[in-house]
């Protein structure tokens, strides 16, 4: 099962079950403080400290608690979870078991995106094996009263279910429409019970942290982004694929690793920033160039307006339609962009579009609507020479009211 | 406590979620796997089983793009639509499929054998152009491979 990949943290060597064994030896409180001390932040993109999440769930008084692994990887240009699910599933489940041990949860879900349905037999086999080896089920590793089991649930092709409250709605059997937050899932998650929702990559980090220590983990990365990141590099490069890089690596260095030459721009996926070559000295980390895993490389001949259009088209289809700024805002940006492409957009109207983008970022209910304008704004700001604004100053002339 | 799930009842002043409801989507997926769509009758049957209105079943079923009340072909080819795939030539591959099948994207062949669609990123950008053929992820598709794929889908 263990793959031959090599890396500093996630792809580093670790013995099977070393993490759980160590966790059981350490006890709940110490596991919690270790995860908190490691500064591990959620790898799905939002970067919320996992330790805080875990502590909140552990502290909650409830007869039931849940651990959910978010494998609804849907961000365009991201495929790191695909690699983890197919090569490191056991380590990921181990991370979930440690979370259950630390917080007192007795049931876990793996929410697997529908696109990865073909991994189900493999994942079920891994779970079955773990039940036989008594790392799932009753009295895990001989620890009396430590019960935990994991069920796999499939998504059905909805990007929005990668948002944690949308995911929980979907698990409960509803439309995957995100909830208002607060209350957060750590208080009222699945069926109203305290729930941890973490990304696949976050869970894969856990056994390493528990076995090798928070200090070791913190020796990688930057001050505010400890550890390493799996980036999925795709687009115009010689060697697309998943790379484990330390937080703090510059875009330029990463491009070199992936064999990309004559690069015009790099995007952190549809909900991330898109930056031109002049900014390739920026660092990949939460405090600078933040990515949930997607790094799309655009060569010198690519049209950035087409890129923005593709991203907006994606959001137009994936918006759940629940809240107004997102549902109504995205089509307006999309139409605005086609005007810009045709050179028919007056300066005043572009200003309106940028102001609408700001409204969407502030007023949308969930991350989808808040991030949807991001690529639009960054492409408009960073690639001014790729479009021409219309000289017409009165927008009435263009829009006929 | 704020009401946090759609179905449930109030017990001693506290809203308790109906946990059985959680099984609705797996049931829908099961029906879809067997029949290729979710008919009105199926929705009514599920509504009776879960004690909810059929419209609610409809609202859940139609939210998810892989569940559909409309019958599709026996096999569904979904071409990844993300920018990495487009840059790698997925539109050209789409045309190859269209030519070979004699349909446009979004349509089903007359013998109801194959439906051709576009879908959001399927997480195969390192092997673009890629497509999801029924449940399998297929990468590095070339014009030659298109014909092989179609041949296999009997």
């Amino acid at each position: 099962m263990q793959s031959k990949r090599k890396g500093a943290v996630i792809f580093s060597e670790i013995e099977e079950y070393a993490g759980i064994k160590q966790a059981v030896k350490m006890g709940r409180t110490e596991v919690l403080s270790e995860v908190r001390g490691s500064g591990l932040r959620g790898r799905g993109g939002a970067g919320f400290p996992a330790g805080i999440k875990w502590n909140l769930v552990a502290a909650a008084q409830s007869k039931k608690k849940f651990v959910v692994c978010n494998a609804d990887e849907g961000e365009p240009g991201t495929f790191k979870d695909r690699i983890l699910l197919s090569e490191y599933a056991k380590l990921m489940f181990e991370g979930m078991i440690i979370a259950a041990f630390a917080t007192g949860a007795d049931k876990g879900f793996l929410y697997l995106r529908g696109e990865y349905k073909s991994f189900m037999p493999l994942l079920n086999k891994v779970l079955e094996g773990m039940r036989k080896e008594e790392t799932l089920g009753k009295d895990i590793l001989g620890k009396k009263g430590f019960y935990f089991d994991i069920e796999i649930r499939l998504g059905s092709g909805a990007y929005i279910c990668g948002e944690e409250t949308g995911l929980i709605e979907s698990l409960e059997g509803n439309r995957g429409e995100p909830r208002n937050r607060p209350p957060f899932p750590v208080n009222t998650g699945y069926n109203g019970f305290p729930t941890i929702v973490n990304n696949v990559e976050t869970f894969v980090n856990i056994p390493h942290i528990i076995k090798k220590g928070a200090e070791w983990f913190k020796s990688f990365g930057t001050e505010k982004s400890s550890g390493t990141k799996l980036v999925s590099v795709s687009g115009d490069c010689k060697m697309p694929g998943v790379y484990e890089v330390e937080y703090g690596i510059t875009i330029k260095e990463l491009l070199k690793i992936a064999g990309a030459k004559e690069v015009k721009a790099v995007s952190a996926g549809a909900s991330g920033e898109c930056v031109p070559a002049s900014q390739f000295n920026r660092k990949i980390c939460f405090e600078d160039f933040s990515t949930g895993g997607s790094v799309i490389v655009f060569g010198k001949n690519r049209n950035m307006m087409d890129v923005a259009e593709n991203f907006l088209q994606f959001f137009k289809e994936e918006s759940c339609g629940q809240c107004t700024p997102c549902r109504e805002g995205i089509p307006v940006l999309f139409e605005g962009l086609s005007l810009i492409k045709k050179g028919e957009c007056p300066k005043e109207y572009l200003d309106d579009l940028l102001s609408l983008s700001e409204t969407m970022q502030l007023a949308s209910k969930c991350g989808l609507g808040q991030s949807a304008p991001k690529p639009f704004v960054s492409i408009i700001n960073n690639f001014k020479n790729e479009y021409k604004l219309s000289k017409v100053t009165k927008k009435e002339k263009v829009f006929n009211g | 406590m704020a009401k946090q799930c759609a179905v449930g009842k109030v017990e001693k002043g506290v809203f308790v979620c109906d946990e059985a409801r959680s099984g609705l989507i797996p049931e829908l997926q099961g029906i879809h796997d067997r029949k290729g769509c979710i008919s009105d009758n199926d929705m009514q049957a599920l509504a009776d089983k879960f004690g909810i209105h059929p419209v609610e079943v409809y609202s859940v079923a139609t939210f998810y793009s892989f569940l559909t009340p409309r019958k599709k072909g026996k096999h569904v080819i979904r071409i990844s639509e993300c920018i990495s795939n487009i840059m790698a030539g997925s539109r050209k591959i789409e045309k190859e499929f269209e030519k070979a099948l004699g349909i446009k994207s979004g349509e089903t062949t007359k013998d109801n054998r194959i439906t051709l669609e576009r879908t959001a990123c399927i997480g195969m950008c390192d092997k673009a152009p890629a497509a999801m053929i029924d449940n399998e992820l297929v990468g590095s598709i070339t014009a030659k491979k298109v014909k092989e794929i179609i041949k296999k889908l009997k």
Side-chain angles (χ1 to χ4, degrees), chain B residues 127-146:
Chain B
K127 293 176 186 150
M132 206 181 149
I133 318 271
D134 294 329
N135 294 323
E136 297 300 318
L137 300 174
V138 181
S140 316
I141 302 179
T142 55
K144 204 178 137 209
K145 237 175 161 181
V146 165

Side-chain angles (χ1 to χ4, degrees), chain A residues 128-278:
Chain A
E128 211 36 65
M130 291 176 85
R131 281 180 200 118
K132 276 198 194 116
E133 287 163 4
E134 293 178 352
T135 43
L136 274 180
K138 258 197 276 182
D139 302 334
I140 293 170
L141 287 176
K143 177 99 181 160
K144 276 260 169 290
F146 176 21
Y147 175 88
F148 183 65
D149 208 342
I150 298 171
E151 182 184 339
I152 303 177
R153 284 292 179 88
L154 267 178
S156 270
Y159 170 72
I160 191 62
C161 292
E163 200 278 344
E164 59 177 4
T165 59
L167 189 155
I168 289 170
E169 283 290 321
S170 176
L171 274 182
E172 285 177 3
N174 305 319
R175 293 162 67 87
E177 292 175 351
R179 299 171 177 171
N180 274 324
R181 306 170 346 144
F184 295 97
V186 289
N187 301 318
T188 47
Y190 178 68
N191 280 338
F193 297 109
T195 305
I196 291 180
V197 184
N198 275 147
N199 180 262
V200 172
E201 190 185 341
T202 314
F203 280 122
V204 171
N205 271 298
I206 296 291
H208 290 288
I209 292 173
I210 298 302
K211 180 65 192 168
K212 300 168 190 172
E215 285 310 312
W216 167 82
F217 185 76
K218 268 182 13 193
S219 70
F220 302 99
T222 67
E223 196 190 337
K224 284 182 183 151
S225 317
S226 52
T228 58
K229 178 83 192 101
L230 293 188
V231 285
S232 333
V233 186
S234 67
D236 296 321
C237 60
K238 259 205 194 119
M239 291 168 285
V242 172
Y243 297 93
E244 179 175 8
V245 296
E246 231 179 287
Y247 275 118
I249 189 178
T250 61
I251 300 174
K252 202 187 260 168
E253 287 166 322
L254 178 64
L255 290 175
K256 208 173 157 196
I257 296 175
K261 279 182 189 140
E262 299 193 309
V263 180
K264 174 151 92 179
V266 161
S267 157
S271 47
E273 246 184 299
C274 189
V275 296
S278 59

